[in-house]
Amino acid sequence: MISHDYHIRLVGTTFIDQNKRRTDTFQYSYGYQTFILSTPSGVAPPSIIFRYEISPMEIKYQYYRKPLYHLLTMLCAIIGGVVTVAGIIDKIVFNTNELIREKILLGKLS
């Protein structure tokens, strides 16, 4: 006969919202397996097995809002990066253009 085996994992979880309210709960995951259990004398009767694994650690989710200066710092970093890359590209194009112009004036461009 067919037997069923469930493996259940529990992890303690704490949620803290923006009003500092605390909610204690559990998260779980499970696995399921069916198999035919046999013994030396023949087929064993059907069975159902539950295996629990309770985690000794806890997960904590806490809501917090980032301050306004964090947004301003990120914007300045993005703008600075764009200006830097644009400057590098401009310098490469300008130097390449000058090099080609000098070779044309000297008549060495083939």
Side-chain angles (χ1 to χ4, degrees), residues 6-7 25:
Y6 292 93
H7 189 91
T25 185

Side-chain angles (χ1 to χ4, degrees), residues 87-105 109:
I88 291 170
I89 291 172
D90 180 55
K91 187 158 183 103
I92 290 171
V93 169
F94 179 76
N95 286 341
T96 305
N97 189 21
E98 287 296 313
L99 183 65
I100 291 172
R101 183 175 292 156
E102 285 179 20
K103 288 199 177 220
I104 288 174
L105 289 176
L109 189 64

Side-chain angles (χ1 to χ4, degrees), residues 19-62:
N19 297 327
K20 304 295 183 198
R21 286 184 302 195
R22 180 184 176 118
T23 305
D24 293 317
T25 185
F26 290 94
Q27 292 183 9
Y28 70 92
S29 64
Y30 70 93
Y32 174 80
Q33 179 181 8
T34 59
F35 56 94
I36 298 175
L37 187 63
S38 62
T39 61
S41 62
V43 178
S47 64
I48 190 164
I49 302 167
F50 292 98
R51 301 170 197 259
Y52 288 98
E53 180 183 330
I54 300 174
S55 175
M57 296 191 312
E58 180 182 70
I59 297 174
K60 180 179 176 183
Y61 293 103
Q62 185 170 2

